[in-house]
Amino acid sequence: MEDQWLADYEAAQQTANETLQLIQERNLQFPEGGPEASRITATCRRKLGTLGGLLDGLRTSLEGPQLAGLTENERNRRRDLVAALRSRREQMLASLKREAPRAARDTLLAGSGSSGGLAAAGAGGRETDATAELGNRGLLSMQQQVMQQQDDALESLERTVVGTKHIALQINEEAELHNRLLDELDEGVEGTSSRLAAAQRRLKLVMRRSGSCKTMVLLFLVAVVLVVVAVIGFKIAVHL
């Protein structure tokens, strides 16, 4: 059982060393924070949680009957080992908490930068003179103002688009009405053309017929004249 306690302690110590290495790596490679730094921070918190459970188990084992064969000096030495490891854990937790405001600030700045540059924060979430004077609450308020401005701008754009849509619909209705009128005008022109052609055909027929009548009238008049001449000649011959 003693060997198992030492094995558990070695595992806890290894976890603490790995966590410390991760924190140092994060601070060296990602001093300005960012997504990768946040990922490492989350991993460190999980490892520290595991470490806390291991330390609780080690402490409980020292106070239980499982290690009754240990001398008091050895038991105290192991208590000191657990306490030292717990102290390291608390220091690493404190280190992560000290970095949290900076990470949160970087996140807020990134959010302001990604919102179209309407806020005083610089593009890409860089610190500016305006944001340097603000705390995290001020940055959050600035970001909310930017988001509200964007919402107002989008609502105004929506109203403009809706108004433009109504105008376009009215123009479309007017165009359809004009097209119908043009279609009706085309039909009227076609009908008029047909009626005009028919009238022209009738006029030509009447003119042809009128020409035949004139010829007959002339022949009739000639015949009448001949008859009159014949009658007159006959009367003259009788008187002679």
Side-chain angles (χ1 to χ4, degrees):
M1 193 65 183
E2 295 179 10
D3 292 341
Q4 183 61 44
W5 191 95
L6 291 175
D8 291 342
Y9 174 79
E10 291 295 333
Q13 192 173 37
Q14 180 65 27
T15 301
N17 292 337
E18 291 175 356
T19 305
L20 180 60
Q21 184 177 358
L22 285 174
I23 293 175
Q24 292 174 347
E25 177 184 346
R26 184 201 63 175
N27 294 340
L28 290 175
Q29 296 184 5
F30 309 101
E32 298 299 325
E36 188 63 22
S38 298
R39 185 189 67 80
I40 295 176
T41 299
T43 302
C44 292
R45 291 186 183 278
R46 287 195 297 271
K47 285 184 172 294
L48 290 176
T50 301
L51 178 58
L54 292 174
L55 292 175
D56 290 339
L58 291 171
R59 180 71 178 181
T60 301
S61 297
L62 286 175
E63 302 300 331
Q66 297 90 345
L67 300 177
L70 290 178
T71 64
E72 191 61 27
N73 289 335
E74 179 62 19
R75 194 182 298 275
N76 290 333
R77 186 183 72 84
R78 294 188 181 189
R79 289 194 185 102
D80 292 340
L81 291 176
V82 173
L85 202 53
R86 190 180 297 277
S87 178
R88 287 183 61 191
R89 178 179 178 274
E90 296 298 328
Q91 291 175 0
M92 287 186 285
L93 281 174
S95 175
L96 291 178
K97 291 180 180 179
R98 285 197 299 270
E99 294 296 330
R102 178 62 188 177
R105 185 177 185 85
D106 291 340
T107 302
L108 289 173
L109 285 172
S112 298
S114 63
S115 60
L118 295 178
R126 292 190 298 270
E127 192 78 74
T128 65
D129 293 339
T131 59
E133 299 176 356
L134 299 176
N136 287 352
R137 291 183 179 272
L139 287 176
L140 180 60
S141 176
M142 176 184 292
Q143 188 180 43
Q144 291 174 345
Q145 291 177 1
V146 171
M147 293 174 66
Q148 183 62 43
Q149 291 174 0
Q150 286 185 327
D151 291 340
D152 294 341
L154 289 174
E155 289 178 359
S156 177
L157 179 60
E158 181 181 5
R159 289 193 296 270
T160 302
V161 170
V162 171
T164 304
K165 178 182 178 181
H166 290 329
I167 295 175
L169 291 175
Q170 291 177 356
I171 293 175
N172 185 52
E173 292 177 356
E174 291 290 336
E176 291 180 353
L177 176 60
H178 291 168
N179 288 333
R180 288 196 298 269
L181 292 176
L182 289 174
D183 291 339
E184 293 175 358
L185 179 60
D186 288 339
E187 293 176 357
V189 170
E190 291 177 358
T192 302
S193 298
S194 299
R195 289 192 293 273
L196 180 60
Q200 288 177 346
R201 289 193 296 271
R202 288 195 297 271
L203 179 60
K204 289 179 181 179
L205 180 60
V206 170
M207 290 178 64
R208 286 197 299 270
R209 290 178 178 177
S210 297
S212 300
C213 291
K214 288 179 180 179
T215 302
M216 294 176 63
V217 169
L218 288 175
L219 291 175
F220 177 75
L221 290 175
V222 170
V224 170
V225 171
L226 291 176
V227 170
V228 171
V229 171
V231 171
I232 293 173
F234 178 76
K235 287 181 179 182
I236 292 173
V238 171
H239 285 295
L240 293 177

